[in-house]
Amino acid sequence: MGHHNPDSPSHLKHYFHDVNQQYETSKFAMWAFILTEVLTFAGLFVAYIVYRSWYPDMFVDAHKLLDVNKGLMNTIVLITSSLTMALAIWAIQKNNKKLSVVMLVATFIFALVFLGIKYLEYTHKFEVGQLPGEFYSYMGPDAAHLNNPHIFFSIYFIMTGLHGLHVAIGMGLIAWLIYSTQKGNLTSEYYTPMEMIGIFWHLVDLIWIYLFPLFYLIG
Amino acid sequence: MSEHHITPLKTYLIIAASLLFLSGVTVWVSYIDLGSFNIVLAMFVATVKASLVAFFFMHLLWDDKKNLTMFLMSLMFFGIFVTITMLDTGFRGDLGLNPETKDPINKRAAFYDTLPLTDTHGHPVDEHSDEHHEDKDHH
Amino acid sequence: MSENTKQNYLNHPKGIMSWLLTLDHKRIGLMYLFSGILFFFLGGLLALVMRFELAAPGNDIISNEVYNNAYTLHGAIMIFLFIIPAIPGALGNILLPLMVGAKDVAFPRLNLASFYIYSFGALFAMYTIINGGVDTGWTFYTPYSTQSTSNVVPMTLGIFIIGFSSILTGLNFIATVHKMRIPGLTWYKLPLFVWALYGTSLVQITATPVLAITMVLLMLERFLGIGIFDPALGGDPVLYQHFFWFYSHPAVYIMILPAFGIISEIIPVHSRKKIWGYKFIAYSTLSIAFIGFLVWGHHMFTSGQSVFSQIVFSFITYFVGIPTGVKIFSWILTMYKGQVSFTPPMFYALAFLFLFTIGGLTGIFLGAVALDIHLHDTYFVVAHFHYVMQGGTIVAFLGGLHHWWPKSFGVMYNQTIANIAALGVFIGFNGTFFPQFLLGLRGMPRRYATYDEQFVELHSYSTFWSGILGISIFIAVMNLFWSFIKKNKVDPGSNPWGGMTLEWTHTSSPPHPHNFEEEPVLQHGPYDYDKVIVEKTYKK
Ligand code: HEM
Ligand SMILES: [Cu+2]
């Protein structure tokens, strides 16, 4: 070692030439990671598409058992949280630490609201027996005629569940961001972690943008 | 890192407003019966929204194009996965020799036969009692 | 080299913690190498047990149930614990930063995390052994895998976890290739091994997520009966096969592309000739990686998929042969009129060319639907994939180890023993697996512990040579480690084969803890044997 330039910033790792190389490398790797995320969900989207094409009528009727209002509310919540996340980065770029923290806290709260609404939806489904797989037991007048609705609910729970898991992970990451920004570790000179977590958070939004119409708004 | 692009505040606000507006639009059109065109329209609007998020919130518009390439690659491989799988699932029994294979999986799972009918709260109802009566209670 | 060369990554820093928590790509590579070889021997042991069971018809040594466990564990260990993680993990880790002139990979911490995630996943896989095994085959086909009472869940969980390690390594390598090259090292000046690792990493990050989600769906199918893969619940087992092979066909390119890269390094160096068709080899790597995503259904020709998709898959499968053929011709043309020296690495490279070509050509047979309907699930398929995976990948891996051994560890093995062992591997391999093509053609199905009288001769022949193969591999590996134990040191400035890439020309053997004492300046391309003379220097 010993090649450390005394006036290079402390966040610069010794195996990089300069901060810009380090920043661009992290960001590129983040996008490669986004690719893996998209392809993880891809498997589930394929399952959705295949089963929807095999059971078109069941999908249309089973989707009526979902609550559009809650879905729309979550859409609005998530879009707003995406905006506040973007504004947190914008604020830190302008070196406005206080605003940045406020925006991060807002993002965190929106994420919490999202999970809260999901929780209400899930508990209702649990109560009436609209459950995945063999645990499905709902035979109400609007569902008794359906052919294998448990498959619809399997896919619904797996996709929204995996998405919800991402929201929860995102909340953990945002909490950490709040802490480090507050402590002054992130500034307009160095905010790479916020930028990366921001990209992750927008991905969560992006996936919901497709989940919402596919589950709640079928024809 | 002062040379990084800083998106103006106004841009973010306009994008967020458009996203909210488009969300309203998809909900609204989903109540109009356009047949199979509904799903096309819903996916079109979703894709417009997704592009806004990716290009503006995720900064792809100003980034190194390598990052955009990675993102588009993920969509391409997803496309390959769906399309080629559908070449099978959409054409099962295409020789028509065995009508059984045409709809390979539409048989109802056996466990439904053991499930009692329920009301809209998921509570079992007696099959012999008047179902319509139960139904009216809740509407 | 300065007086500083006494310090290298093996002896500095010292202490067990400096190894377990190391961020140095070379040390991490070494840890992958040891664990990989450990699993290689474990998988090999299971293989020999199966071969001895098959020496004669009837259940002589093990029962059918044990046999089912043996081939499942053999396959899962070899593929998920050895070939996929260990080859990029070991040789890739040690060499990639050196070859691009970097001080380390782009994310050293992530690199260490990959190794521990891999080890953690391996624990689950090992747990299945002490807990009674798995009997579904490494492919975990539904519906059997949703019903089997063996350890399907721990094994799939292990594979799920190892998948993350694979993804993180891929991410790291891609970022390293894109962003960590020294100035002047443009894409077309990269060693071909780097191109190969790049292609491999692309496949790793695109295919592995689908494996992860497939394993999750399989576990959920067992826990909740989600009905997606289970025909009794309205689902479709063939869809499972689509999911599985969407990963696992590309995965065969995760296994073979690094091998291609190794061969592309060994052949020009040991022929002292500029590689023929650099760009052809580089681009064929990328096109193989891409086409590999379009052909998975050739594993499903007898699974009841639509006839339409059979035709499409069969047609596209033939295209894989084109870039593969391009590579083989390029290697042969590189040797043509070169000064070929018959060193151990070169022996392995020649063995590779012969064995991989047979494997690839029989793959073309299997890609034809009409033929595959007869050959599917017979020993013909077993022989095919062993020719490509063992004859191709593992032989190239051994060649690569022999090629870079003096570089990585600063010691030289006994070359005569190495050559004899290489010959033993070659003959033993053909003796073991060539008869299996004939067995398959005559209708011997795979995955059975016993067989009809008519197959005795070929089976016993195969078993006999498998013993020779096993012993030869053991000798080859022990010969390498022996040099290490005996400290048969080479001079730190040695370049025994006259390599031209940065790891040979700009750092000591074994390399400096930070790879290069100062940032290397590129003087020539990786294979410019026509322009520059690089001395072979090998002193004790
Ligand atoms: C020219 C290139 C290749 C072609 C055309 C090809 C074609 C095929 C086909 C059609 C099958 C299915 C046979 C059946 O199950 O009936 C197959 C099986 C297999 N191939 Fe290849 N292959 C090629 C190269 C490779 C390579 C490079 C590897 C690995 C390094 C590989 C590994 C395998 C494995 C592991 C299986 C059997 C999987 C199983 O059922 O357990 N192949 N190949
Ligand atoms: Cu294949």
Side-chain angles (χ1 to χ4, degrees):
Chain A
M1 222 192 274
H3 302 305
H4 238 271
N5 184 347
D7 41 50
S8 70
S10 60
H11 58 262
L12 177 63
K13 302 280 197 307
H14 74 94
Y15 41 87
F16 287 109
H17 282 258
D18 52 47
V19 279
N20 207 43
Q21 184 197 17
Q22 181 171 334
Y23 172 78
E24 290 294 336
T25 307
S26 306
K27 207 158 162 179
F28 177 64
M30 188 66 205
W31 277 101
F33 175 72
I34 295 293
L35 173 143
T36 69
E37 287 279 7
V38 171
L39 284 157
T40 309
F41 277 95
L44 299 176
F45 278 106
V46 170
Y48 175 95
I49 294 170
V50 166
Y51 279 96
R52 182 158 172 188
S53 76
W54 272 336
Y55 292 97
D57 301 334
M58 183 271 278
F59 265 62
V60 168
D61 285 351
H63 107 276
K64 292 181 184 145
L65 304 174
L66 301 179
D67 185 342
V68 188
N69 290 331
K70 290 208 179 79
L72 179 62
M73 238 145 73
N74 261 346
T75 305
I76 293 168
V77 168
L78 217 49
I79 288 174
T80 319
S81 81
S82 242
L83 174 67
T84 52
M85 186 75 225
L87 293 183
I89 295 171
W90 176 81
I92 200 81
Q93 283 175 327
K94 303 240 162 191
N95 230 351
N96 188 340
K97 176 175 134 185
K98 218 165 153 194
L99 182 61
S100 187
V101 171
V102 169
M103 285 301 159
L104 287 173
V105 171
T107 314
F108 187 89
I109 293 172
F110 284 126
L112 203 62
V113 172
F114 179 91
L115 287 186
I117 294 175
K118 264 265 82 72
Y119 173 78
L120 294 179
E121 269 191 278
Y122 276 11
T123 40
H124 176 253
K125 298 260 164 314
F126 273 69
E127 273 159 22
V128 301
Q130 291 160 354
L131 287 169
E134 287 171 317
F135 293 85
Y136 182 89
S137 66
Y138 180 73
M139 293 291 269
D142 45 356
H145 66 288
L146 293 179
N147 189 9
N148 291 333
H150 67 286
I151 294 185
F152 176 85
F153 284 99
S154 293
I155 297 176
Y156 165 81
F157 273 103
I158 296 171
M159 290 188 91
T160 55
L162 185 64
H163 177 263
L165 182 69
H166 279 76
V167 174
I169 293 172
M171 282 172 68
L173 294 171
I174 291 166
W176 174 77
L177 275 183
I178 296 172
Y179 169 79
S180 359
T181 314
Q182 182 62 33
K183 251 185 83 182
N185 293 350
L186 304 182
T187 63
S188 66
E189 285 299 310
Y190 173 71
Y191 57 88
T192 314
M194 201 187 292
E195 177 103 14
M196 304 301 119
I197 294 169
I199 294 175
F200 178 81
W201 190 251
H202 298 308
L203 176 79
V204 172
D205 186 17
L206 210 140
I207 287 168
W208 183 258
I209 285 177
Y210 284 95
L211 293 185
F212 175 54
L214 285 178
F215 284 112
Y216 295 84
L217 302 177
I218 302 177
Chain B
M1 306 219 293
S2 43
E3 73 269 30
H4 291 165
H5 172 88
I6 300 184
T7 315
L9 182 59
K10 216 172 101 190
T11 313
Y12 284 135
L13 296 176
I14 293 175
I15 297 301
S18 325
L19 287 172
L20 292 173
F21 172 72
L22 288 173
S23 305
V25 169
T26 44
V27 176
W28 173 61
V29 295
S30 77
Y31 288 106
I32 308 169
D33 186 10
L34 301 170
S36 60
F37 195 66
N38 270 110
I39 176 77
V40 179
L41 200 60
M43 287 301 101
F44 176 74
V45 176
T47 304
V48 172
K49 284 170 70 184
S51 313
L52 292 178
V53 172
F55 281 112
F56 293 93
F57 283 172
M58 294 164 112
H59 300 154
L60 271 185
L61 192 58
W62 302 283
D63 264 5
D64 190 341
K65 289 292 167 275
K66 278 199 219 32
N67 299 352
L68 178 62
T69 313
M70 272 288 155
F71 187 53
L72 293 181
M73 241 173 71
S74 70
L75 301 182
M76 179 182 77
F77 282 107
F78 169 51
I80 290 173
F81 193 4
V82 179
T83 315
I84 303 189
T85 304
M86 297 281 282
L87 293 186
D88 167 26
T89 61
F91 295 87
R92 287 281 169 81
D94 47 2
L95 286 186
L97 298 177
N98 181 359
E100 283 271 297
T101 55
K102 185 77 195 158
D103 288 314
I105 37 86
N106 265 337
K107 282 210 185 70
R108 205 172 197 213
F111 74 82
Y112 284 98
D113 300 338
T114 63
L115 290 181
L117 291 177
T118 64
D119 60 17
T120 52
H121 296 290
H123 303 305
V125 290
D126 187 356
E127 275 184 52
H128 304 292
S129 76
D130 189 5
E131 271 170 57
H132 298 284
H133 170 76
E134 278 283 325
D135 212 25
K136 269 179 214 129
D137 264 5
H138 299 294
H139 284 105
Chain C
M1 301 278 152
S2 73
E3 75 285 355
N4 210 1
T5 45
K6 285 246 157 54
Q7 207 182 63
N8 64 53
Y9 80 99
L10 292 172
N11 62 24
H12 178 86
K14 285 194 165 52
I16 180 85
M17 284 327 267
S18 79
W19 279 89
L20 292 181
L21 298 179
T22 183
L23 300 181
D24 182 343
H25 65 97
K26 304 181 284 307
R27 288 188 166 194
I28 295 172
L30 200 62
M31 299 201 290
Y32 269 113
L33 182 64
F34 276 113
S35 30
I37 286 182
L38 204 71
F39 289 123
F40 181 35
F41 281 159
L42 184 59
L45 208 65
L46 287 162
L48 288 178
V49 170
M50 287 190 284
R51 269 319 326 162
F52 282 102
E53 166 58 38
L54 290 169
N59 293 100
D60 310 305
I61 312 178
I62 53 178
S63 65
N64 292 335
E65 287 70 32
V66 175
Y67 189 86
N68 290 347
N69 286 303
Y71 71 68
T72 304
L73 288 167
H74 164 72
I77 289 174
M78 285 295 193
I79 290 178
F80 294 115
L81 295 172
F82 171 51
I83 301 188
I84 290 179
I87 294 180
L91 286 177
N93 251 323
I94 295 175
L95 293 167
L96 174 62
L98 291 170
M99 284 183 160
V100 300
K103 287 184 195 157
D104 209 319
V105 291
F107 306 102
R109 270 169 226 280
L110 205 62
N111 202 15
L112 183 65
S114 290
F115 177 75
Y116 281 112
I117 294 172
Y118 158 67
S119 314
F120 186 59
L123 283 182
F124 283 87
M126 292 300 104
Y127 167 77
T128 62
I129 297 184
I130 54 171
N131 198 36
V134 201
D135 64 357
T136 59
W138 76 282
T139 48
F140 306 104
Y141 274 12
T142 53
Y144 181 62
S145 60
T146 56
Q147 292 157 5
S148 164
T149 52
S150 66
N151 294 285
V152 177
V153 170
M155 188 53 111
T156 43
L157 195 62
I159 290 170
F160 173 79
I161 295 168
I162 290 171
F164 280 95
S165 153
S166 200
I167 289 173
L168 295 180
T169 303
L171 272 177
N172 218 336
F173 283 8
I174 288 177
T176 307
V177 175
H178 268 281
K179 301 286 184 182
M180 307 298 280
R181 288 173 278 137
I182 49 170
L185 186 55
T186 52
W187 282 91
Y188 293 137
K189 289 188 179 155
L190 286 173
L192 287 164
F193 186 55
V194 175
W195 275 92
L197 286 172
Y198 182 69
T200 309
S201 305
L202 280 177
V203 181
Q204 275 176 305
I205 64 166
T206 30
T208 319
V210 175
L211 174 74
I213 201 72
T214 308
M215 294 292 116
V216 169
L217 289 175
L218 180 57
M219 283 186 266
L220 289 175
E221 190 72 75
R222 286 180 68 100
F223 293 142
L224 308 176
I226 51 176
I228 291 177
F229 298 143
D230 189 345
L233 294 170
D236 179 32
V238 182
L239 190 66
Y240 171 82
Q241 299 186 16
H242 282 295
F243 273 60
F244 183 81
W245 290 110
F246 182 85
Y247 165 76
S248 289
H249 185 79
V252 308
Y253 296 104
I254 300 179
M255 304 187 228
I256 200 69
L257 287 176
F260 287 164
I262 292 168
I263 299 303
S264 303
E265 295 300 322
I266 293 178
I267 286 184
V269 173
H270 295 263
S271 310
R272 294 187 77 71
K273 189 149 162 277
K274 193 183 176 83
I275 190 109
W276 192 91
Y278 177 95
K279 287 191 187 175
F280 280 126
I281 297 185
Y283 283 112
S284 64
T285 301
L286 296 187
S287 53
I288 288 176
F290 177 70
I291 300 171
F293 277 93
L294 310 176
V295 300
W296 75 81
H298 64 215
H299 295 270
M300 301 162 57
F301 285 151
T302 61
S303 299
Q305 62 181 343
S306 76
V307 174
F308 180 38
S309 61
Q310 311 235 23
I311 295 167
V312 173
F313 278 126
S314 181
F315 182 71
I316 308 177
T317 296
Y318 297 140
F319 284 91
V320 182
I322 297 171
T324 316
V326 165
K327 277 185 195 288
I328 297 204
F329 288 123
S330 299
W331 291 323
I332 293 175
L333 285 170
T334 306
M335 290 188 291
Y336 179 64
K337 289 192 173 168
Q339 302 170 34
V340 178
S341 43
F342 291 97
T343 53
M346 194 63 187
F347 262 131
Y348 281 107
L350 292 173
F352 170 92
L353 282 183
F354 186 83
L355 301 177
F356 178 75
T357 305
I358 294 181
L361 287 177
T362 51
I364 302 284
F365 286 39
L366 294 171
V369 186
L371 265 178
D372 188 66
I373 287 175
H374 294 276
L375 296 175
H376 176 70
D377 265 355
T378 69
Y379 266 68
F380 193 90
V381 176
V382 177
H384 155 70
F385 68 71
H386 283 90
Y387 264 85
V388 279
M389 298 210 293
Q390 186 171 0
T393 306
I394 292 175
V395 162
F397 180 59
L398 288 171
L401 282 183
H402 283 83
H403 182 65
W404 282 293
W405 198 261
K407 169 51 51 192
S408 314
F409 306 118
V411 286
M412 185 53 109
Y413 45 85
N414 182 325
Q415 299 199 32
T416 316
I417 296 181
N419 278 335
I420 294 170
L423 195 67
V425 170
F426 181 73
I427 297 174
F429 179 83
N430 282 304
T432 309
F433 290 103
F434 202 81
Q436 298 188 2
F437 281 125
L438 304 177
L439 279 169
L441 284 170
R442 292 174 194 179
M444 170 74 209
R446 67 190 278 207
R447 294 179 169 169
Y448 282 90
T450 181
Y451 48 84
D452 286 350
E453 278 300 331
Q454 79 212 62
F455 299 121
V456 171
E457 204 181 327
L458 288 168
H459 261 307
S460 54
Y461 194 71
S462 176
T463 298
F464 170 75
W465 285 105
S466 72
I468 307 284
L469 174 62
I471 293 169
S472 306
I473 292 181
F474 189 74
I475 293 175
V477 174
M478 284 308 132
N479 182 39
L480 289 174
F481 283 114
W482 186 240
S483 69
F484 202 66
I485 294 163
K486 253 187 67 187
K487 297 203 168 55
N488 188 11
K489 286 202 170 119
V490 299
D491 181 73
S494 289
N495 185 356
W497 326 118
M500 281 199 139
T501 37
L502 291 173
E503 84 275 20
W504 294 111
T505 53
H506 281 73
T507 183
S508 54
S509 311
H512 186 265
H514 290 282
N515 289 358
F516 305 97
E517 287 177 45
E518 53 210 56
E519 188 167 277
V521 179
L522 202 66
Q523 282 132 353
H524 47 70
Y527 313 106
D528 284 346
Y529 287 100
D530 51 342
K531 297 202 193 97
V532 191
I533 294 170
V534 176
E535 293 294 334
K536 290 189 196 179
T537 50
Y538 166 44
K539 287 178 302 214
K540 292 235 171 160

